[in-house]
Amino acid sequence: MPLWDGRFSEGPDALVLRLSESISYDRRLYPFDLQGSAAHAKMLAHQGIIPQEDADKILAGLEQIKGELDRGEFVFRTELEDIHMNIESRLTELIGAPGARLHTGRSRNDQIATDERLFLRHEVDRIRKELRDFQKALWKLGNDNSQAIMPGFTHLQHAQPVLFAHHLLAYVEMLERDRERLADCRHRINRLPLGAGALAGSTLPLNREFVAKELGFEAVLQNSMDAVADRDESIEFLADLALVSMHLSRFAEDVAIWFSQEFAFVEIGDAFTTGSSLMPQKKNPDMAELTRGKTGRVYGALMSLLTTLKGLPLTYNRDLQEDKEGLFDAVDTVSLVLRTLTAMLSTVRPRAGRMAEAASDPSLMATDLAEALVKQGVPFREAHHQVGRFVGACTARGITLAQATLELMKESIPTAVPEFLAIFQAAHSVAARDLTGGTAPVQVAAQLSKWGRRFEEEKE
Ligand code: ARG
């Protein structure tokens, strides 16, 4: 019979058990459930609500249960529904009467909210660390190939030459904002629900500040109904993970494009590519594709939890039990993808020759020519027009911009001077973009060393 069976004359139907159990997945919260229970027991004794000897027995019993769970010896019972009742029931089995005092002044409603916040705090720290590792891998690839030039794209069309490292550092920046968001979200996660009871607090002299300190929470949630009813901290975390996934998915798409035969900008190690069961010649970037594909599940978890909450009257409703599986899946997915991409990056080699060749198309320097005219005092719109005419004239003759003579150039650009003929070099083009955030090698080198120093300092 369940632990709440006092007023019932018969046990639940088998289907009821199947629909209501959460032990099959909330078991992974056990370290946090144990942590929360230990803090609660200490507080109960500190406040004189239960005898100190009982608290000591409870703490010893929880330790023993932790051992059983860590070693995989704990026997989970579906009829006990969830991780809270499985642990409490085992505790009473082990230590007898004192075990029955643990749930004093506590409800599973404030208990699960506490467990989840401890879990989320732990996962935020893990994902931030894994994001950092991925940033380091991006940085290393850029740093090892700091001179490689490639075409930058808009509309997936060649736009202007950029450094390969500049492209990689763009992701380092995006992921840094993801890390900041997670750090910010951590403050809102890191508040204590326990003491809220089922919804209205307790008639017992509980000490919530004591428990908060014991569990390392920054604050105590100030409204007992809010504490048990909301899950906005989980939603915020999922939204942050959705953004991480979106960034990883875009990176994966870049890699898949770079790895295609048409581009052939990068090589990927055999261990991180896969073959075809039919076509013997194939080497596919499946890890990039799966990264892209897994993004949908993470967005799904966010939508699912938002939807679960939208119509719920205050306070706790059993619907809230549905907050877990999507959350667990999302965080596991993001973590696995992050670790795989980090490992994959260490096998990625740019094909600098191919990239340089693609970036050498003189038309990529058309903007540079227009800006040279601006430096002569020509209004930009007029400069843009003149260069456009010049591009048209070259195209009509079937030559590249770099093959044009000064005479031909002058037909479209009356103020053209011989130096303009030297503009059509990718290296010249990137070097000229020497401003904050630009792709000039000196700027990129400064960014690389800034990040390098930052990673170094964190080690100390
Ligand atoms: N397993 C439940 C959940 O995850 C714990 C809280 C159950 N509370 C209740 N009153 N039935 O939400």
Side-chain angles (χ1 to χ4, degrees), residues 180-196:
E180 285 170 17
R181 264 186 287 273
L182 285 165
D184 190 49
C185 164
R186 193 185 195 279
H187 295 298
R188 279 176 293 283
I189 286 170
N190 205 17
R191 298 173 190 174
L192 177 80
L194 214 61

Side-chain angles (χ1 to χ4, degrees), residues 102-222:
L102 172 61
H103 211 54
T104 308
R106 186 175 73 169
S107 154
R108 280 185 295 156
N109 298 353
D110 57 350
Q111 188 177 359
I112 184 62
T114 304
D115 290 8
E116 285 183 338
R117 283 171 183 269
L118 291 169
F119 167 80
L120 286 168
R121 189 174 76 185
H122 181 264
E123 295 301 297
V124 161
D125 293 346
R126 180 162 76 108
I127 297 292
R128 287 189 80 241
K129 157 99 182 42
E130 289 169 1
L131 280 166
R132 181 55 99 218
D133 291 343
F134 182 52
Q135 286 175 307
K136 288 180 185 170
L138 288 163
W139 175 86
K140 184 168 190 311
L141 185 60
N143 204 49
D144 290 349
N145 301 277
S146 62
Q147 301 306 313
I149 296 180
M150 65 184 290
F153 295 82
T154 61
H155 313 272
L156 201 53
Q157 305 281 321
H158 288 174
Q160 293 171 345
V162 294
L163 291 189
F164 178 56
H166 195 54
H167 194 134
L168 295 173
L169 285 176
Y171 286 105
V172 173
E173 295 284 342
M174 295 177 211
L175 298 171
E176 188 60 14
R177 289 193 295 279
D178 291 336
R179 294 185 75 254
E180 285 170 17
R181 264 186 287 273
L182 285 165
D184 190 49
C185 164
R186 193 185 195 279
H187 295 298
R188 279 176 293 283
I189 286 170
N190 205 17
R191 298 173 190 174
L192 177 80
L194 214 61
L199 78 161
S202 176
T203 62
L204 298 166
L206 306 179
N207 186 337
R208 299 184 68 206
E209 287 69 23
F210 179 101
V211 178
K213 195 152 179 263
E214 203 50 47
L215 293 174
F217 282 114
E218 290 162 42
V220 172
L221 287 168
Q222 296 294 299

Side-chain angles (χ1 to χ4, degrees), residues 22 26 82 84 108-109 112 316 318 320-321 324:
S22 55
D26 72 9
D82 55 29
H84 323 301
R108 280 185 295 156
N109 298 353
I112 184 62
Y316 182 87
R318 192 61 177 272
L320 289 174
Q321 183 164 295
K324 292 173 198 57

Side-chain angles (χ1 to χ4, degrees), residues 322-365:
E322 286 299 307
D323 65 349
K324 292 173 198 57
E325 284 169 291
L327 174 67
F328 295 162
D329 183 67
V331 69
D332 290 345
T333 299
V334 170
S335 171
L336 180 59
V337 165
L338 267 174
R339 285 179 287 139
T340 309
L341 286 182
T342 302
M344 184 184 86
L345 266 189
S346 69
T347 75
V348 168
R349 299 281 169 267
R351 299 178 64 179
R354 282 279 316 166
M355 288 180 173
E357 192 192 324
S360 69
D361 172 0
S363 63
L364 271 68
M365 275 59 87

